[in-house]
Amino acid sequence: MDGKKNTQQKIDGVLDAASHIESVNISPFFKDKVLHRLDSLAQPGEHNFVLSWFTPKYQVAVLLLLAILNIGAIYSYRISNQQEQMTAFAEAFGFSNTENESILN
């Protein structure tokens, strides 16, 4: 039961502390100085322009180029894989001429 009383006293103390807060008056010079420093940090001239040329139109062009390259690679892989499978099938069932063209026969 003492814990509940202690907790309630702590809550009341925190709420009372908020009512004792007073406003602080600062000089306008300090405010202007701080705002000027913040503004100078946010100047666009100080940013790193390593990828500033990589605008959205170049991004779309690179994306399309990569998509075309990927489609071409997949098409080439399928064609070569299909030819290899046909050759393997022909050799497995004896339809291939590679065995008949041997020098030892």
Side-chain angles (χ1 to χ4, degrees):
M1 294 304 267
D2 290 335
K4 290 184 180 180
K5 289 181 183 178
N6 238 355
T7 305
Q8 188 60 37
Q9 289 174 352
K10 288 181 182 179
I11 291 172
D12 291 337
V14 169
L15 292 176
D16 289 338
S19 65
H20 296 296
I21 295 175
E22 297 177 7
S23 64
V24 177
N25 294 327
I26 58 168
S27 68
F29 175 72
F30 177 75
K31 179 182 173 185
D32 289 339
K33 185 178 172 183
V34 170
L35 290 176
H36 180 55
R37 282 187 186 174
L38 289 174
D39 188 41
S40 68
L41 290 176
Q43 291 296 329
E46 296 178 8
H47 291 295
N48 191 1
F49 290 110
V50 173
L51 293 177
S52 63
W53 58 271
F54 200 54
T55 59
K57 65 180 179 181
Y58 290 122
Q59 292 174 2
V60 170
V62 168
L63 183 64
L64 289 175
L65 180 66
L66 289 175
I68 291 170
L69 286 173
N70 283 332
I71 290 170
I74 290 171
Y75 178 75
S76 174
Y77 174 74
R78 284 189 177 176
I79 294 298
S80 68
N81 193 19
Q82 185 180 17
Q83 289 174 352
E84 289 175 5
Q85 287 177 355
M86 295 279 279
T87 305
F89 176 78
E91 289 177 0
F93 288 100
F95 299 132
S96 172
N97 291 334
T98 57
E99 293 175 3
N100 297 338
E101 296 176 1
S102 176
I103 297 173
L104 298 176
N105 284 342

